[in-house]
Amino acid sequence: MASRHLYDLLEAHWGGPIDTFAAVWSEGLSVEETASRIEADLNSAYKVTLANLAEGFEGDQIPDDYEGIVLIGEFESWSLTLQVQWLDVTEKKVLSTLSRDGGCAIGINWHSGGDNHRIFHAVDGLTVDDAPMMYIPESLKPYAHGLTMPEDWDVPVDQGSPTEEMVTTSLILIGRIVGREIDQEWLEVPHMRFIIRRNI
């Protein structure tokens, strides 16, 4: 059975099943620049870990169900943005903005309510790959030596699901590109939480 350890690590810090999740690594961007480019409310900044993401949400600070919640932190020479409500950060226009001016953005997202599990790669404002996570994108294959996505989808419920294996494989692949896998140390350190407001 393929590894699922990085999915399990994320789930352990989230404290429950991860139904909707997105992550994007942005080359050379600070936390503040990343938040600005994804059009987050900079005034909503609050330092917190993923495990305590709901901390500080009281009264008028409680985000609406249609607003995005992101956690942004430094990640080697990249920034890492995690989103647990909505999938704004992996929209094509956002990836374009994060990678403009000669940069690179690599991301993944999934939604347990459907088959929307994808991996993304944008360079200098252009989307190079936007593929189902069951495949390793062509542009990332030079980093994928020894990695394969699960082919057996007939998995007993008590043994997890291929999604968990695909996410772990994708995170290993991205770790090779950015120079570090997501790990316990990063998840235990507080980073900046922002809200992506909706103008409805």
Side-chain angles (χ1 to χ4, degrees):
M1 185 173 178
S3 175
R4 48 172 283 172
H5 66 286
L6 293 179
Y7 179 95
D8 289 342
L9 178 65
L10 284 174
E11 193 171 64
H13 282 267
W14 179 233
I18 306 176
D19 296 323
T20 302
F21 194 88
V24 174
W25 289 255
S26 306
E27 184 181 25
L29 298 188
S30 68
V31 170
E32 293 74 16
E33 178 65 16
T34 302
S36 178
R37 290 195 188 195
I38 66 175
E39 299 184 358
D41 177 2
L42 301 183
N43 293 322
S44 69
Y46 189 91
K47 203 164 191 178
V48 69
T49 64
L50 179 62
N52 296 315
L53 196 64
E55 179 183 304
F57 283 151
E58 300 173 357
D60 294 340
Q61 299 299 316
I62 300 174
D64 292 320
D65 291 342
Y66 55 81
E67 293 181 319
I69 304 172
V70 296
L71 185 69
I72 308 175
E74 295 178 355
F75 199 91
E76 300 301 305
S77 61
W78 302 60
S79 67
L80 171 55
T81 304
L82 305 182
Q83 184 168 2
V84 297
Q85 184 164 292
W86 298 94
L87 303 172
D88 304 81
V89 297
T90 50
E91 291 180 358
K92 188 172 183 178
K93 65 178 183 179
V94 177
L95 291 167
S96 174
T97 300
L98 289 172
S99 66
R100 72 176 187 229
D101 304 323
C104 174
I106 305 169
I108 59 172
N109 71 29
W110 69 91
H111 192 301
S112 62
D115 58 357
N116 186 26
H117 312 89
R118 304 192 71 81
I119 184 166
F120 308 87
H121 182 203
V123 177
D124 198 16
L126 299 175
T127 299
V128 178
D129 269 305
D130 172 357
M133 201 184 290
M134 65 184 69
Y135 305 107
I136 293 175
E138 285 296 324
S139 64
L140 303 183
K141 282 185 176 178
Y143 302 91
H145 178 73
L147 297 178
T148 57
M149 292 297 183
E151 298 178 358
D152 183 8
W153 286 75
D154 186 18
V155 180
V157 174
D158 63 348
Q159 293 184 21
S161 77
T163 295
E164 295 148 9
E165 298 172 17
M166 288 190 301
V167 169
T168 295
T169 300
S170 297
L171 292 172
I172 293 170
L173 174 63
I174 293 168
R176 292 178 180 180
I177 297 166
V178 304
R180 176 186 179 185
E181 288 182 7
I182 193 165
D183 53 26
Q184 183 88 3
E185 180 183 357
W186 193 91
L187 292 168
E188 287 182 344
V189 172
H191 304 290
M192 297 306 297
R193 182 190 67 206
F194 298 90
I195 307 301
I196 299 175
R197 308 291 185 188
R198 307 290 187 213
N199 297 318
I200 296 178

